[in-house]
Amino acid sequence: MRPKREIHVTRPWLPPKENFLRYVDEIYASRQLTNRGPLHDELERKLGERLETEKPLLTANATLGLILALHALDISEGEVITTPFSYAATVNAVLWERCLPVFADIRADNLTLDPDKVEQAITRRTRAILPVHVYGIPCAMEPIQYLADKHGLKVIYDAAHAFGVKLGGKSLLANGDVSVCSLHATKLFNTAEGGLILVRDPQTRHRLELLRRFGHHYDDYQEPGINAKFSEPHAALGLACLDHLGEIIASRRELTAWYDQRLIGLLQRPSWPADLEYNYAYYPVLFKDEEQLLRVFQALADIGVYPRRYFFPSLNTLPYLNGAAACPVSERSARLAACLPLFPGLLEEEIEEICRVIKERL
């Protein structure tokens, strides 16, 4: 049975229109569209409360958040050790700050940065480590922090997928010198476009605040910043979505259980700790080989279903990174990994059909 609609890997969640328009009415009343308006400040405060962290800093997007974090920590013209199994934004942020990305391979069990490979990659030019909580699965944070302390390095977490994830009761965003999370339309909590930065050091936070708004406060110009400001319309969408966060995660948890019931033992899944409070942002699987993955993708496309290869190709193989070291685990994982459709509103019979096609093509 062909699904009655095209099904993509995700679909942006939108709040009830009347909830959003209530905040839009406030924008019309205030006539403030940007520059730290009242909705912006309210969203920052509420996000800090919801995430049980320091109040975050909102940015126009998470890529700018990573660039700002590198800049605020004075990571420039050195080496930054990062993962090859991520979206291109991770490595592009390093390149934009004129640093050299050095790839360390990943762990096969959970696809996050391997601390042993990180240690082997450290040189006298290394300035920072930039790990990624892939799919919201936590990196080996204690070993990474140990290496950073031992070698005097900064740790910036690309936590794009980690909104709402807790390990041992503590938010993943509260680790490292800086964590950067994405609020893009494809994420489980979205503001259409946006990002947030978590930082503990007050001086670094102050600098980040300046850098995101051109480096000045009124007529007090302190350094050359950029425009990474977050607008009031985006804040309105975020506030309208935030009240529904519990039901969004609950829906994704239920969808995940439906997949698990039908695919258990058929496809490999990345592992995560038992005490992880997960956000169910993705449903990642690993196929036996690339031929099997492509066969399944074609069969699903034939019925209008479109999963995605998150993440392909392995970043160390990008054409503008000539000479990057081989990362065999990442390169293999990139050929085998995919995320199946997962979003509130996906129906059980649609998951049933997706899983039927997968089983037939394995």
Side-chain angles (χ1 to χ4, degrees):
M1 180 186 71
R2 183 184 178 91
K4 297 178 182 179
R5 57 175 176 166
E6 283 195 353
I7 297 173
H8 295 270
V9 68
T10 191
R11 187 176 67 175
W13 192 89
L14 291 172
K17 189 181 293 184
E18 60 272 18
N19 292 15
F20 176 56
L21 292 179
R22 176 167 61 86
Y23 290 108
V24 172
D25 287 342
E26 294 186 34
I27 293 173
Y28 271 74
S30 72
R31 295 282 173 167
Q32 186 164 359
L33 296 177
T34 186
N35 289 331
R36 291 196 60 183
L39 297 184
H40 169 282
D41 287 352
E42 182 182 353
L43 183 57
E44 282 192 340
R45 176 180 57 79
K46 286 187 172 181
L47 285 172
E49 293 171 355
R50 179 61 67 98
L51 297 170
E52 298 177 5
T53 62
E54 298 289 332
K55 189 173 78 167
L57 298 172
L58 289 165
T59 57
N61 56 63
T63 305
L64 280 172
L66 289 172
I67 291 171
L68 288 172
L70 289 160
H71 197 88
L73 293 171
D74 293 318
I75 310 301
S76 60
E77 298 185 0
E79 295 175 352
V80 176
I81 298 173
T82 191
T83 173
F85 193 77
S86 182
Y87 183 55
T90 306
V91 69
N92 290 350
V94 175
L95 293 168
W96 271 68
E97 282 301 296
R98 298 184 181 275
C99 294
L100 177 67
V102 174
F103 293 104
D105 212 346
I106 61 173
R107 295 168 47 174
D109 59 343
N110 68 7
L111 308 180
T112 66
L113 201 56
D114 185 337
D116 292 337
K117 303 299 184 184
V118 171
E119 186 166 28
Q120 295 170 19
I122 294 172
T123 72
R124 61 181 180 81
R125 286 181 43 81
T126 306
R127 302 292 308 281
I129 306 171
L130 203 172
V132 179
H133 299 303
V134 178
Y135 309 133
I137 299 170
C139 299
M141 293 175 289
E142 289 187 9
I144 288 172
Q145 192 60 54
Y146 170 80
L147 291 172
D149 293 341
K150 178 180 176 182
H151 296 278
L153 308 175
K154 300 295 185 182
V155 179
I156 301 168
Y157 279 103
D158 182 336
H161 309 163
F163 187 95
V165 180
K166 293 182 180 179
L167 181 62
K170 179 183 176 183
S171 171
L172 290 194
L173 304 179
N175 292 280
D177 294 282
V178 178
S179 287
V180 180
C181 184
S182 174
L183 307 181
H184 183 260
T186 57
K187 302 301 185 289
L188 70 93
F189 171 72
N190 85 89
T191 58
E193 287 281 3
L196 59 85
I197 304 174
L198 268 294
V199 57
R200 288 176 291 174
D201 175 62
Q203 288 185 317
T204 304
R205 179 188 173 84
H206 175 70
R207 192 174 184 201
L208 282 164
E209 284 192 13
L210 282 172
L211 287 171
R212 72 173 173 176
R213 48 189 170 91
F214 297 107
H216 73 96
H217 181 65
Y218 292 103
D219 295 332
D220 179 18
Y221 287 78
Q222 298 183 28
E223 63 176 306
I226 59 174
N227 184 2
K229 297 192 301 295
F230 190 86
S231 80
E232 288 290 270
H234 289 90
L237 181 60
L239 287 166
C241 289
L242 192 59
D243 291 338
H244 299 271
L245 184 60
E247 65 188 74
I248 294 169
I249 294 177
S251 172
R252 302 179 83 94
R253 184 188 301 114
E254 183 177 42
L255 297 172
T256 295
W258 291 345
Y259 273 123
D260 286 346
Q261 292 164 12
R262 293 161 174 81
L263 295 178
I264 188 167
L266 297 177
L267 292 170
Q268 182 184 342
R269 300 284 319 282
S271 63
W272 57 69
D275 59 343
L276 186 71
E277 187 177 325
Y278 191 49
N279 61 6
Y280 302 93
Y282 298 91
Y283 194 88
V285 296
L286 289 153
F287 289 87
K288 180 181 69 175
D289 52 44
E290 190 173 22
E291 180 183 352
Q292 185 184 72
L293 178 149
L294 295 174
R295 186 166 65 244
V296 167
F297 268 46
Q298 183 58 61
L300 289 173
D302 289 343
I303 62 166
V305 176
Y306 303 97
R308 282 289 301 274
R309 300 182 76 174
Y310 287 162
F311 292 96
F312 181 83
S314 184
L315 295 180
N316 62 303
T317 67
L318 292 177
Y320 49 83
L321 292 172
N322 293 331
C327 295
V329 179
S330 176
E331 291 165 34
R332 180 176 186 275
S333 299
R335 292 193 296 270
L336 307 184
C339 286
L340 302 183
L342 185 71
F343 52 84
L346 188 63
L347 303 177
E348 185 171 11
E349 59 257 35
E350 291 172 329
I351 289 180
E352 180 71 46
E353 182 64 9
I354 291 168
C355 293
R356 182 192 66 77
V357 171
I358 291 173
K359 290 175 185 178
E360 289 180 353
R361 299 303 190 278
L362 290 181

